[in-house]
Amino acid sequence: MSELDVSLGYFLAVVAFGAAFRVLFRKWPCLSFAAEFTTSFVLVACWLEVQTIIEIGEWAGGLGTDVTLTIRFVVLLTHGVICAGATGNPSLTLMNFLLLETPTLHTLLALAAQFLGAHLALIVAGYYWAMELNDMHIIKNLILRECSTALRVSLVQGVYSECVCAFIFYLIYLSLRCRSALIRVPFFAAVLTLLSHAASGYTSAFLNPSLAYGLTFYCPGFTFTEYSVVYCLGPIIGMTLALLLYMGHIPRIFAKNLLYSQKTHVQVPKGDGDKKKK
């Protein structure tokens, strides 16, 4: 368990940093977009270590699939609790923009903050692995200096996989977004864990362009542009289709409902109807 103890310490340090940073910026509401920087940093920094545990721990550390799935779920659950109010996900930020919930400038600043946070997480994780605090990190530095790509299919299949997974997740997200956080956060974490595991042989279903940027954009096998097409275009298409199906229109683009009738049916009480006839 010493291998996981080191990772647990890393997770706690990252989460503590993220929580402290968010508390600090609550004093300046005008800089609320900065919370996206912290949220993205925490998610990517933790997921990079999760990916290391999955890639190396399962065959070198004797960790079973049940352990890695549990770690994924706990990381996503913790992220959802600590970073409530911020998305850390460009796709969700764009969804809020399409729903007319955020202005254009705030959206652009939030997107920039998310990718900046992801890049910082990549740098911090590199320094952390270089310390070689456990056997997994030693093996990673000796054998797996170059990360392995999460994209294991063609570009068309990759876009389709991300699009379908995003469509499923965002339909669920839209259906539960007004429910209590006690229901939403664990359920979303479970859905994302299952989708990530189910799509592990395709794209890993990141459904988050900034997360994919930190985890796989710099891995050999595909170009930066090809990764961008799969992990940016796929989730955005899936999100847009889910929004269109759920609401019948996209508020930022169409004011008129394209799919569902907005006619209201008013039932007249029988007594009133009889009086009118008389």
Side-chain angles (χ1 to χ4, degrees):
M1 291 296 293
S2 60
E3 301 286 330
L4 293 181
D5 289 341
V6 173
S7 297
L8 178 61
Y10 171 76
F11 291 144
L12 292 176
V14 170
V15 170
F17 168 79
F21 197 92
R22 291 207 61 189
V23 170
L24 178 64
F25 270 86
R26 281 179 184 173
K27 298 179 180 179
W28 297 283
C30 60
L31 298 177
S32 59
F33 65 87
E36 296 293 344
F37 168 82
T38 310
T39 305
S40 181
F41 170 80
V42 171
L43 179 61
V44 177
C46 290
W47 206 258
L48 283 166
E49 182 68 0
V50 170
Q51 193 174 51
T52 301
I53 294 172
I54 294 172
E55 290 179 348
I56 300 175
E58 288 190 352
W59 62 269
L63 302 178
T65 304
D66 56 338
V67 176
T68 56
L69 282 174
T70 302
I71 293 173
R72 289 190 207 186
F73 173 76
V74 172
V75 166
L76 290 170
L77 179 63
T78 304
H79 178 264
V81 173
I82 298 297
C83 301
T87 66
N89 185 338
S91 298
L92 274 174
T93 300
L94 289 174
M95 174 182 282
N96 292 334
F97 174 74
L98 294 176
L99 287 170
L100 301 176
E101 294 180 358
T102 54
T104 303
L105 180 60
H106 184 279
T107 300
L108 293 175
L109 291 173
L111 291 174
Q114 287 162 353
F115 282 99
L116 185 61
H119 191 74
L120 179 62
L122 194 60
I123 296 172
V124 170
Y127 282 115
Y128 163 65
W129 292 329
M131 296 170 66
E132 298 185 347
L133 298 177
N134 60 24
D135 293 340
M136 283 193 300
H137 298 158
I138 295 174
I139 294 172
K140 183 176 182 65
N141 289 332
L142 288 175
I143 303 175
L144 299 176
R145 280 192 170 275
E146 289 188 338
C147 59
S148 56
T149 179
L151 181 56
R152 298 176 182 177
V153 291
S154 66
L155 291 184
V156 175
Q157 291 175 316
V159 171
Y160 179 77
S161 174
E162 286 290 300
C163 180
V164 170
C165 291
F167 179 77
I168 294 171
F169 172 73
Y170 286 116
L171 267 183
I172 296 172
Y173 176 86
L174 288 166
S175 301
L176 300 179
R177 68 195 301 252
C178 296
R179 297 293 184 91
S180 169
L182 293 175
I183 298 174
R184 285 187 292 107
V185 175
F187 195 79
F188 291 159
V191 171
L192 288 172
T193 300
L194 292 175
L195 287 175
S196 177
H197 178 68
S200 59
Y202 301 92
T203 60
S204 292
F206 294 131
L207 313 184
N208 183 333
S210 61
L211 178 61
Y213 169 82
L215 266 63
T216 200
F217 272 38
Y218 292 97
C219 298
F222 296 89
T223 65
F224 192 92
T225 302
E226 290 171 334
Y227 280 127
S228 299
V229 170
V230 172
Y231 290 106
C232 294
L233 190 60
I236 291 174
I237 292 175
M239 175 271 292
T240 306
L241 292 175
L243 182 60
L244 181 61
L245 180 63
Y246 181 79
M247 297 193 67
H249 71 127
I250 299 174
R252 180 70 64 172
I253 302 174
F254 307 108
K256 181 180 178 181
N257 197 306
L258 303 177
L259 299 181
Y260 308 118
S261 173
Q262 294 179 314
K263 293 181 179 179
T264 56
H265 300 278
V266 180
Q267 293 183 348
V268 180
K270 290 184 179 180
D272 294 344
D274 294 338
K275 291 178 181 178
K276 289 180 181 179
K277 290 180 180 178
K278 294 179 181 178

